[in-house]
């Protein structure tokens, strides 16, 4: 057999393993891997079994599963009441999207603080000098420029404004929009969809709010102004001398979910106490009720692809000589506002400061010959990753949407807020994102295999002792105090 034939066989074997992992994780038997669910538990068992076969050990004890408690409820079974300045709003004047807030804390009462349009972008900070800690930030829809009606993410949209206010201490966001139920743009359609999504939240002490997203109340501007007794526009900033009160009565289902965490120990007496973190979330959106009955969200690209990729990187590293140790983290609850990684970082199995670099694989299955490398604050890490990618025939490109600030929305967030260098591998959003159509047959396995090979090459460099990358926190990366 020639070297070329041997390499081809190895590539085909790698593709076959990737395909098998994605096919299983996205299969009907796993029911979309919702958090919590029977399908998620099956996936956890599968991952622990696969890791043990590759030589990965539990970090402590005999199990790789880090179990945490959570609750959830369906919004259509909940009763919600919203008051502004003591006046109750009509139910058709608002939409409440509860992002990981336990209704056991209801009623939620916060002083209202105006932030104008609430935009934080290069050269513009509507939140500058405004004390938000413990308050509800009130932002009006819009920006000093024309909005793109097809855009949901970005600093000028509600999601970006939620992040900007949350990381500066806001506990809830009030978003004033005249297009509340119109469906006139992608944002209003998005919120109509999300108001019916299952709400999940941690029920563990000492973790705090899990994500960089707080609950949001989208309110008709006219209704808000009538309740407040004054007008509100882009210049309205500072305390509004009124309270927001949100009452939520919901039947909560309690359950458990788990992260799957293991280690490949290094062999250097000193460097073995430093870790290369390989991460991917293994949950997705589960089963949903639709007018046609139950539908499954299989999550082949999001994120069976990343999980399969990490397993293959682990296979490569298990066969190499490692001076540093390798920590493998499969998180759950990412789709429920990064619950699993929040719990892990409150209860780390190795010291967070011992993590030398994080390589996170999330949605790596739709490559067009490129792979996005989100490495905010670590240009030397991006350069090393680009070199490894080029050697494997794949092109690493910068984040296509840098103003989306994806670090806030993924499992990189809780590690980056501890100033750990990270690289987030990502092939981009597509029409099947968070849809039942995200199926295994659409994964581009040859390109995915090259991405995985390049990630393995990069991880191997650091595991074998190459100096670790540096991290300089970007000016825009604001996080709440620990």
């Amino acid at each position: 057999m020639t070297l070329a034939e041997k390499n081809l066989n190895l590539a085909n074997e790698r593709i076959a393993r990737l395909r098998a992992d994605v096919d299983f994780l996205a299969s009907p038997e796993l029911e979309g891997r919702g958090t919590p669910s029977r399908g998620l538990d099956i996936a956890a068992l599968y991952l622990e079994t696969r890791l043990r076969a590759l030589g990965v050990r539990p970090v402590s004890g005999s199990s790789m599963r880090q179990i945490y408690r959570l609750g959830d409820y369906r919004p259509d079974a909940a009763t919600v009441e919203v008051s502004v300045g003591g006046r109750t709003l009509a139910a058709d004047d608002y939409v409440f999207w509860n992002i990981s807030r336990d209704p056991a804390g209801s009623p939620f009462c916060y002083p209202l603080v105006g932030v104008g349009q609430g935009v934080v972008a290069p050269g513009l900070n509507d939140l500058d000098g405004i004390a938000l800690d413990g308050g509800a930030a009130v932002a009006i829809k819009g920006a000093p420029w024309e909005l793109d009606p097809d855009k949901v993410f970005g600093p000028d949209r509600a999601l970006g404004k939620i992040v900007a206010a949350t990381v500066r201490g806001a506990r809830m966001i009030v978003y004033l929009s005249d297009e509340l139920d119109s469906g006139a743009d992608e944002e209003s359609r998005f919120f109509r969809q999300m108001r019916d999504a299952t709400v999940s939240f941690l029920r563990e002490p000492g973790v705090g709010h899990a994500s960089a997203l707080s609950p949001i109340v989208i309110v008709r501007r006219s209704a808000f102004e009538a309740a407040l007794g004054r007008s509100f526009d882009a210049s309205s900033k500072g305390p509004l001398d009124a309270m927001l009160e949100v009452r939520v009565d919901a039947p909560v289902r309690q359950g458990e979910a788990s992260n799957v965490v293991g280690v490949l120990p290094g062999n250097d007496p000193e460097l073995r106490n430093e870790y290369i973190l390989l991460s991917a979330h293994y949950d997705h959106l589960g089963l949903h009720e639709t007018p046609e009955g139950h539908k499954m969200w299989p999550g082949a690209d999001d994120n069976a692809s990343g999980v399969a990729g990490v397993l293959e990187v682990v296979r490569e590293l298990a066969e190499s000589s490692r001076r540093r140790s390798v920590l493998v983290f499969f998180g759950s609850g990412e789709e429920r506002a990064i619950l699993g990684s929040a719990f892990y970082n409150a209860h780390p199995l190795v010291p967070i400061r011992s993590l030398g670099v994080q390589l996170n694989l999330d949605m790596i299955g739709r490559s067009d010959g490129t792979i996005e490398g989100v490495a905010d604050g670590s240009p030397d890490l991006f350069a090393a990753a680009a070199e490894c990618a080029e050697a494997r025939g794949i092109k690493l490109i910068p984040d296509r949407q840098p103003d989306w600030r994806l670090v806030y929305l993924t499992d990189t967030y809780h590690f980056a807020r501890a100033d750990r260098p990270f690289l987030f591998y990502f092939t981009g959003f597509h029409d099947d994102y968070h849809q039942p159509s995200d199926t295994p047959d659409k994964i581009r396995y040859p390109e995915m295999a090259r991405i995985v090979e390049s990630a393995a090459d990069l991880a191997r460099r650091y595991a074998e002792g190459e100096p670790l990358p540096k991290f300089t926190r970007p000016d825009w990366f604001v996080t709440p105090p620990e």
Side-chain angles (χ1 to χ4, degrees):
M1 180 183 295
T2 66
L3 179 60
E5 290 172 330
K6 183 178 179 180
N7 288 339
L8 179 60
N9 285 343
L10 290 174
N12 288 336
E13 289 170 4
R14 179 172 289 110
I15 287 172
R17 288 191 297 267
L18 292 169
R19 188 187 301 274
D21 286 331
V22 171
D23 282 348
F24 177 75
L25 292 168
S27 65
E29 289 76 14
L30 268 68
E31 300 173 342
R33 311 183 308 281
T35 303
S37 70
R38 168 182 169 274
L40 187 76
D41 293 341
I42 294 172
L45 176 61
Y46 176 78
L47 294 176
E48 185 171 11
T49 303
R50 293 278 281 110
L51 289 176
R52 287 184 186 276
L54 294 171
V56 178
R57 307 174 189 173
V59 179
S60 62
S62 60
S63 175
M64 294 185 194
R65 291 194 231 180
Q66 184 189 42
I67 298 172
Y68 59 91
R69 293 171 297 163
L70 71 160
D72 66 17
Y73 70 88
R74 291 178 56 88
D76 60 4
T79 300
V80 178
E81 184 179 282
V82 176
S83 298
V84 171
R87 296 183 62 177
T88 301
L89 301 180
D92 60 357
D93 280 333
Y94 67 88
V95 168
F96 178 56
W97 179 24
N98 186 3
I99 304 176
S100 65
R101 188 67 52 81
D102 190 336
S106 173
F108 306 112
C109 301
Y110 308 118
L112 291 164
V113 183
V115 294
Q117 292 178 320
V119 178
V120 177
L124 173 64
N125 186 348
D126 281 334
L127 278 56
D128 188 35
I130 298 176
L132 288 174
D133 191 32
V138 184
I140 192 168
K141 182 173 182 175
W145 49 81
E146 186 176 351
L147 297 181
D148 181 346
D150 296 325
K151 195 174 178 183
V152 174
F153 295 97
D156 55 356
R157 308 310 307 223
L159 282 172
K161 296 177 184 184
I162 293 174
V163 169
T166 299
V167 299
R168 290 167 174 82
R171 299 298 307 280
M172 197 167 285
I173 314 300
V174 177
Y175 186 60
L176 306 184
S177 170
D178 292 329
E179 291 85 26
L180 180 66
D181 289 323
S182 69
D185 61 11
E186 194 62 33
E187 184 174 77
S188 64
R189 289 190 289 272
F190 171 80
F191 281 115
R192 285 199 297 176
Q193 178 187 34
M194 292 309 299
R195 69 183 175 187
D196 299 324
T198 298
V199 177
S200 299
F201 40 87
L202 290 171
R203 282 202 154 167
E204 293 284 356
V207 179
H209 192 65
S211 80
L213 295 171
S214 287
I216 180 172
V217 190
I218 305 98
V219 184
R220 292 189 202 282
R221 179 179 175 183
S222 57
F224 179 84
E225 291 177 333
L228 189 66
R230 54 175 283 190
S231 62
F232 190 99
D233 59 28
S235 65
S236 302
K237 296 186 179 183
L240 297 178
D241 301 321
M243 297 292 292
L244 171 74
E245 182 175 299
V246 179
R247 292 181 177 272
V248 182
D249 183 14
V252 173
R253 178 185 68 153
Q254 300 207 64
E256 292 182 339
S258 59
N259 300 318
V260 179
V261 190
V263 65
L264 283 171
N267 55 29
D268 185 281
E270 294 183 6
L271 292 183
R272 69 181 302 163
N273 294 318
E274 297 176 353
Y275 294 84
I276 311 307
L277 173 62
L278 302 176
S279 63
H281 76 88
Y282 72 99
D283 65 305
H284 195 53
L285 297 176
L287 296 171
H288 289 250
E289 291 281 357
T290 71
E292 298 79 35
H294 275 85
K295 270 194 177 180
M296 185 186 85
W297 271 241
D301 188 30
D302 186 14
N303 183 36
S305 67
V307 172
V310 166
L311 287 172
E312 194 62 22
V313 174
V314 171
R315 174 186 293 277
E316 293 288 326
L317 295 181
E319 298 172 354
S320 67
S321 176
R322 301 174 307 278
R323 298 180 66 196
R324 292 188 177 95
S325 298
V326 177
L327 187 70
V328 185
F329 175 81
F330 289 121
S332 57
E334 192 267 0
E335 302 288 7
R336 304 294 190 201
I338 55 177
L339 299 183
S341 60
F343 180 78
Y344 179 87
N345 277 267
H347 303 279
L349 300 181
V350 303
I352 295 295
R353 301 298 301 178
S354 70
L355 301 176
V357 61
Q358 178 189 19
L359 304 183
N360 187 62
L361 279 63
D362 193 347
M363 296 178 64
I364 62 167
R366 299 291 191 93
S367 175
D368 58 2
T370 66
I371 176 73
E372 291 181 48
V374 182
D376 298 316
S378 295
D380 53 340
L381 176 56
F382 181 89
E387 184 179 292
C388 291
E390 183 179 6
R392 292 293 186 172
I394 200 86
K395 185 181 172 86
L396 187 81
I397 62 174
D399 185 0
R400 287 189 178 100
Q401 303 287 349
D403 64 349
W404 292 7
R405 309 304 191 205
L406 290 176
V407 62
Y408 284 119
L409 307 176
T410 69
D411 280 328
T412 54
Y413 171 63
H414 288 290
F415 299 100
R417 68 185 291 191
D419 293 326
R420 300 297 82 205
F422 70 91
L423 181 80
F424 169 29
Y425 287 97
F426 176 57
T427 54
F429 293 105
H430 44 72
D431 290 343
D432 301 312
Y433 173 67
H434 281 192
Q435 297 297 324
S437 51
D438 181 9
T439 50
D441 57 296
K442 296 173 182 174
I443 301 295
R444 299 169 183 169
Y445 287 101
E447 292 84 359
M448 179 176 160
R450 289 194 284 274
I451 293 168
V452 170
E453 288 167 349
S454 73
D457 291 342
L458 181 62
R460 188 183 297 107
R461 283 188 181 191
Y462 295 123
E464 291 180 352
E466 184 170 306
L468 292 168
K470 295 179 173 60
F471 178 81
T472 301
R473 183 181 281 230
D475 291 340
W476 56 261
F477 187 46
V478 177
T479 57
E482 295 289 343

